[in-house]
Amino acid sequence: MTFANNDIPNNDTRFGTALVAVASTAVLVWFGTGLYPKWPLLWFAPLPVLLFASRNSAWRTALVAASSWLAGSLNLWHYLSVVGVPPTARIAICTIPALVFAVAVLLFRALLRRGAWWSALLAFPAMWVSVEYLFDLVSPHGTGGNLSYSQLNFLPVLQLASVTGPWGISFLLLLFPAALAVGLHLRNSAPQQAMRIVGVGLGVIAVALVFGAVRLAMPASGQKVRVGLIASDEPANVNVADEGSETARLFRQYAAEAESLAARGAQVIVLPEKLGVTVDPDTKETDALFQSLADKTNSKIVVGLVHVSPPVKYNRALIYAPEAPRQTYDKHHMLPPFESKLKPGTELTFLHELSGTWGVAICKDMDFTALSRQYGNAGAGLMLVPAWDFVLDRWSHGHMAVMRGVEDGFSIARAAKQGYLTVSDDRGRILAETRSDSAPFVTLIADVPVGHDTTLYLLLGDWFAWVALAILLFTLVQLCRLPSRPPIVSRTTANS
């Protein structure tokens, strides 16, 4: 007796089936991604569409897949509008991922129909991860929008970033529903093969979870340093766009708060990004204020500001250390179009301390894997990060930096106005955190380990993204070589 391999039936698929698939995936994507993602939901989000794809025509599959992901991606529409993204860019931000998802689902369907079940399992996540990686190489927003950020609260899975970077996490997220979909597709015609595929998919995820649990159980290494963070969201303190009395007033207020933190034992104090504006040559007052404070308290102080050296403007961090020359760091990655007139920096800045090496970056710099990896390869055990978020994205953007610490083996002290004051370790654990709008001047103090951890991701870089690209290429070649009709599978073959 022979069986067709779950032949795609009928062209009379009911509208209700498509509607259920669209609605289910859209709801799971809506709540599983975005500004405050619920991490378990995204593991199941593609499954309704993949099941629909296994039994329906290509055009129906494409329509259902694109519609479902597009509807889910609209969870960002309000946020993008509030931060001033033009309508055409908003449409692109929501539409492009939907089209990528549709193509990935169509590739899965095509391989499944041809009996290339293992290839279908791998091709679906490989397609998505390949596009994520290529986007990271060319986009001014780096890893922004990467699916892996939905798992920041799922610490065992987050540890995979230390091996694969964000790419492995995205791959696992999509491998899981693909394995279930293939298994359900084969449950009648080839039950043992279905069990093998589901078993391998779940087994890989289990190995990642065990690795994550073991890594989390290992004690943090290195000496602890007491870090202080300060921010103020008072309306008069957020947008100080000109030099002069307002900038001087705000600097004095921050200096007073910094002195209080130093009295509580803070060895390094981080202030937010773009506190005010200083213009050459009239910078002596600012330098005198913070240098004298550093000398008096024996603390390091990191101050974010806009520095104008006519005609050039920089988004800069000034680092004041006791009885030492002032250091500077210029932000590398600017936020378009708001920072298009600022000159990007090209150099890294290090503080070589008895506890280890510390580095400095500014806000959006932490969205990029390559820059953070440079700090990791230099042995940084602590990153000091002035920042400025957009209120609505205080959780999502503020915590993207946490993954850089897991990838590259360092702790992070990030002070953001209109965001969070956050201290995290190299396992992605939040050691201390508070909102920047919880008081007129919010302060936070925490002890953070600064031992550097050399991760596999540091040693091999984006190796897993290249593996995903190779898998995608292999499956595309295989798709071209396979017959368009599914093979006939005998019970003997299916059970072998």
Side-chain angles (χ1 to χ4, degrees), residues 343-367:
K343 183 176 180 179
T346 58
E347 302 294 328
L348 306 183
T349 297
F350 297 96
L351 286 74
H352 299 288
E353 305 295 323
L354 292 177
S355 60
T357 300
W358 306 352
V360 180
I362 297 176
C363 200
K364 195 172 180 64
D365 287 338
M366 301 301 286
D367 299 357

Side-chain angles (χ1 to χ4, degrees), residues 186-379:
L186 296 176
R187 68 188 184 279
N188 294 323
S189 62
Q192 290 192 6
Q193 187 72 287
M195 290 180 63
R196 290 190 193 102
I197 291 172
V198 173
V200 168
L202 297 183
V204 170
I205 294 169
V207 169
L209 290 175
V210 170
F211 166 77
V214 170
R215 192 168 191 267
L216 286 168
M218 297 172 64
S221 62
Q223 181 178 334
K224 287 190 175 182
V225 169
R226 180 157 292 186
V227 174
L229 308 178
I230 312 171
S232 174
D233 286 358
E234 290 287 286
N237 296 340
V238 172
N239 292 294
V240 179
D242 299 311
E243 62 170 328
S245 60
E246 282 303 296
T247 290
R249 170 195 63 81
L250 189 57
F251 282 172
R252 287 193 297 271
Q253 289 181 299
Y254 268 98
E257 298 293 335
E259 185 170 3
S260 176
L261 284 177
R264 295 166 59 190
Q267 297 163 265
V268 58
I269 300 164
V270 184
L271 280 55
E273 176 186 15
K274 292 182 180 176
L275 290 184
V277 180
T278 62
V279 181
D280 283 342
D282 301 321
T283 61
K284 292 181 180 179
E285 183 179 349
T286 301
D287 287 337
L289 173 67
F290 288 108
Q291 186 62 59
S292 63
L293 181 61
D295 295 341
K296 176 182 177 181
T297 62
N298 201 36
S299 298
K300 282 79 177 176
I301 304 169
V302 182
V303 183
L305 48 76
V306 175
H307 181 82
V308 182
S309 181
V312 182
K313 295 181 180 180
Y314 301 92
N315 185 338
R316 176 166 288 180
L318 303 179
I319 304 99
Y320 298 90
E323 308 297 336
R326 185 197 72 182
Q327 293 180 264
T328 65
Y329 171 83
D330 293 329
K331 186 177 182 181
H332 287 211
H333 296 283
M334 301 302 175
L335 176 63
F338 308 105
E339 296 181 322
S340 58
K341 294 182 179 180
L342 299 176
K343 183 176 180 179
T346 58
E347 302 294 328
L348 306 183
T349 297
F350 297 96
L351 286 74
H352 299 288
E353 305 295 323
L354 292 177
S355 60
T357 300
W358 306 352
V360 180
I362 297 176
C363 200
K364 195 172 180 64
D365 287 338
M366 301 301 286
D367 299 357
F368 293 79
T369 58
L371 178 61
S372 293
R373 200 159 66 247
Q374 290 181 58
Y375 274 111
N377 282 322

